[in-house]
Amino acid sequence: MSDLTLAVDIGGTKFAAGLVEPDGRVVAAQRVATPRGGDAETLWETLTGLLDRLAPPPGVAGVGIGCGGPMTWPAGEVSPLNMGGWRGFPLRERLAARFPGIPVRIHNDAICLAVAEHWRGAGRGSAAMLGMVVSTGVGGGLILGGRIVDGGTGNAGHVGHVVVDPGGPPCGCGGNGCLEAVARGPGLAAWALAQGWSPGPTGSPGGTGSPGPTGSPGRARPPEDSGGDPSQPGRASEPGGEPSRDGGEPSGQGGELYREEGTATARRLAADAAAGDPIALAAMTRAGRALGIAIASAVNLCDLDLVTIGGGLSQAGGLLFGPLEEALREHTRMGFARRVRVVPAALGQDAGLVGAAALVIAGDRYWSPGP
C-alpha cells in the first residue's frame, strides 16, 4: 500500500494529475490542455490518458478530485459551465471504477483551492477564512471552525455570485451584477474595451492614454503568461491563473490557466494600468472595489479573520488590492469585521492538486460525507 494520494484537478483550460505525499508535497505531476469543444468521451479519454502518463503506483491511499461546477455532491456527477461536453457526467463513479477499494472524493475546484491555502498555504492557523480565486471566473471556499463548510449541496462559499451591483452586467448564472460578472478577467477586459480602451502592444507600456506614475498602487506586476511555479511556494498564485500560452505547459505563477485571444486581455489590461492608462486603471479599480464589497458581505456574515485571493488577476498587486481594501474598510464598520486581513494566496500552480489530495489526506477537516 502506497502512502501517496492521487490528486486530479480539472478545469476548462487544463487537466492536471499528481501524486501527493502525506505532508502535502506534490512529488510528480502531469498536465494536458483541455480539449476545446470535446464531447463527454473525448474529455474522459483525455483524463485517462493523463493518468496513464502519470502512472500512479499500485495501492495509492485514495483519489481526490477538484472539478468546476455545478455538480451533484458528493456523488460527483459534474456539469462544468466551461466544459459543455460534460453534463451530468459521472466522474466520481468512473474514477472509482478505475481505482476500486480506496476512497475517491470530489469537490468543487474553488473549494479545493481554499482547502489548499488553509492546509498548506497562507491560511494555515486560521479558524475562519474565505479562500478566493479571481480568474476566468470568481470562486471560493469557506473554512469555519477550522473545517470546510459544504452547505446543503456542496456549494457553500460561492462568493462569485454575491451581488455587488444589482443593475450591473449579466452573469453566466442568469443573474445580474454578480461579483463574477464584474471582476472576472475576460469581463473586465470587455468592460474596458467598451469604455474606449485600446490595448498597448505586448511588451510596451501604455495603452489608451499617456503613461502616468507607476508608484503605489500602480506599481504592480501584471499577471504572468501562465500558471504557478511549484518551486516558489511563497509567491502569490492561482488556481485559475491567467493567461496561458494557448495550451502550452504552465510556467511562472498562477495555477489554473485560461486562454485569452488577441491583445485585449486582462494581462494586457493590468500592464496598461501599471503604466498609467486611465481606462485600464479605472477597470482595475472597478474590479477591486467589487471584490471589497463582496468580501465585506462575507466578513459581516461569517465573522472571518482572513481572506486569501489567488488567480491571475490577483497578481496585479496594488492595482487590485488598493481599491479592494478601500471598499472593504468602507463596508466593515463593526469591530469584529474590521480585524479581517486580505492576503495573496501563497501556493503556486499545484494548489488545486494539494487541495484535492487534502480531501483524502486530511479528511477529518475537509471531508464529511460518503466514502
Side-chain angles (χ1 to χ4, degrees), residues 13-349:
T13 301
K14 73 166 183 353
F15 288 3
L19 297 172
V20 183
E21 292 189 331
D23 63 358
R25 188 168 67 96
V26 178
V27 295
Q30 293 284 338
R31 294 172 181 82
V32 65
T34 304
R36 292 192 182 190
D39 62 17
E41 291 308 313
T42 298
L43 292 166
W44 172 248
E45 288 166 8
T46 299
L47 177 57
T48 56
L50 178 68
L51 295 174
D52 289 342
R53 281 171 49 197
L54 181 65
V60 292
V63 181
I65 311 137
C67 182
M71 70 176 68
T72 60
W73 178 88
E77 293 178 353
V78 302
S79 305
L81 293 178
N82 53 4
M83 277 180 276
W86 276 353
R87 288 296 174 264
F89 185 78
L91 180 59
R92 184 196 169 276
E93 180 182 300
R94 289 280 191 101
L95 285 169
R98 185 180 172 98
F99 297 96
I102 60 173
V104 178
R105 297 170 177 174
I106 188 169
H107 225 314
N108 184 283
D109 56 354
I111 286 178
C112 287
L113 293 166
V115 163
E117 288 297 325
H118 185 257
W119 187 38
R120 290 291 182 259
R124 282 181 292 183
S126 172
M129 66 162 274
L130 171 67
M132 294 181 64
V133 56
V134 186
S135 188
T136 44
V138 179
L142 270 174
I143 306 286
L144 296 178
R147 299 175 57 90
I148 191 70
V149 176
D150 300 310
T153 64
N155 285 290
H158 220 324
V159 68
H161 298 286
V162 170
V163 176
V164 294
D165 179 6
C171 181
C173 73
N176 285 82
C178 296
L179 173 62
E180 180 168 290
V182 175
R184 65 189 294 266
L188 194 58
W191 180 87
L193 285 171
Q195 306 308 306
W197 172 53
S198 177
T202 301
S204 69
T208 310
S210 301
T214 55
S216 180
R219 181 177 295 141
R221 182 173 51 80
E224 298 287 348
D225 280 339
S226 56
D229 182 351
S231 70
Q232 301 293 329
R235 294 161 61 178
S237 85
E238 190 192 16
E242 67 170 356
S244 76
R245 294 189 191 89
D246 203 10
E249 280 296 304
S251 65
Q253 293 180 334
E256 161 133 352
L257 320 177
Y258 68 82
R259 302 181 180 95
E260 295 184 299
E261 305 297 339
T263 60
T265 66
R267 178 176 183 265
R268 185 68 253 159
L269 185 72
D272 285 355
D277 180 281
I279 296 177
L281 280 167
M284 298 302 296
T285 297
R286 179 173 180 263
R289 288 194 61 83
L291 285 161
I293 291 168
I295 290 169
S297 296
V299 171
N300 287 321
L301 180 66
C302 297
D303 191 11
L304 304 175
D305 49 56
L306 183 71
V307 177
T308 64
I309 301 183
L313 202 61
S314 71
Q315 295 171 29
L319 294 169
L320 189 76
F321 283 87
L324 184 161
E325 281 284 345
E326 182 180 84
L328 173 62
R329 300 310 163 187
E330 288 173 7
H331 295 280
T332 48
R333 298 291 186 169
M334 292 182 284
F336 77 88
R338 289 199 300 269
R339 67 190 178 85
V340 70
R341 294 183 302 118
V342 180
V343 300
L347 299 179
Q349 72 170 1

